[in-house]
Amino acid sequence: MNKEKIIIGSDHAGYELKEKIKLYIVELGYDVEDIGTYSKESCDYPVIAKEAAGLIMKGKAQRAVLICGTGVGMCITANKSKGIRAVVCSDTTTAKFSRLHNNSNVLCLGQRITGEYLAKDICKIWLETEFEAQRHQYRLNLIEN
Ligand code: RB5
């Protein structure tokens, strides 16, 4: 079976957590495409979030994990693109329900907010939970139209 490819990206404030989450996503059995940043040198989160959103909109991947200081800037930016349903998570329940009910396709994490082990748990639940569809699909259609 083909592995799902997950886009991963961060700014400088999320770089260290990105490197750890990247390895963890591979351990979970997914392919990962790292779109940067590649060091702790200061950079701009909107550039990375827009690139990730563009890749999803072009069908190059279904989902992305984006990390900045709080996760907020990545989330605000990604949600500007049609078809992106980005969520900031610092708990596993929100991660789970954002998949079950909202079919979230971008998970945003904050390196300055969430520790490595919790971030990994959030990521695993988010990656492994399927959208429930049914009545929730009707509501997602209302968001888009
Ligand atoms: C960078 O200092 C910080 O503002 C950024 O990583 C992010 O937290 C923005 O939402």
Side-chain angles (χ1 to χ4, degrees):
M1 201 176 81
N2 278 348
K3 293 179 183 177
E4 181 183 351
K5 182 169 76 179
I6 307 296
I7 304 291
I8 193 163
S10 76
D11 69 357
H12 56 287
Y15 171 73
E16 287 177 88
L17 185 59
K18 169 172 74 73
E19 293 304 299
K20 290 170 182 154
I21 293 290
K22 180 168 66 176
L23 297 178
Y24 183 60
I25 292 175
V26 171
E27 258 177 53
L28 291 175
Y30 298 86
D31 279 336
V32 174
E33 182 179 341
D34 184 352
I35 60 167
T37 187
Y38 304 111
S39 76
K40 287 195 242 175
E41 193 179 322
S42 183
C43 66
D44 302 315
Y45 62 80
V47 175
I48 297 290
K50 284 183 183 177
E51 184 176 342
L55 288 169
I56 292 173
M57 284 154 61
K58 284 183 209 137
K60 305 283 182 198
Q62 301 291 313
R63 293 190 286 173
V65 176
L66 298 176
I67 306 170
C68 61
T70 59
V72 172
M74 289 293 194
C75 190
I76 290 172
T77 311
N79 276 322
K80 295 273 180 194
S81 297
K82 195 169 167 65
I84 297 298
R85 294 174 300 279
V87 61
V88 193
C89 287
S90 53
D91 71 277
T92 52
T93 309
T94 304
K96 180 169 84 176
F97 280 92
S98 81
R99 292 286 305 137
L100 288 173
H101 289 190
N102 313 110
N103 199 14
S104 62
N105 52 9
V106 177
L107 172 66
C108 302
L109 298 168
Q111 179 181 295
R112 294 173 179 160
I113 307 297
T114 305
E116 174 188 347
Y117 290 93
L118 178 55
K120 285 178 174 170
D121 286 348
I122 289 168
C123 212
K124 179 172 164 55
I125 284 177
W126 186 80
L127 288 170
E128 294 179 354
T129 303
E130 294 292 328
F131 177 45
E132 274 181 350
Q134 301 161 28
R135 70 187 187 282
H136 302 297
Q137 184 57 59
Y138 172 75
R139 291 169 184 155
L140 293 191
N141 294 345
L142 290 177
I143 297 174
E144 296 293 337
N145 302 301

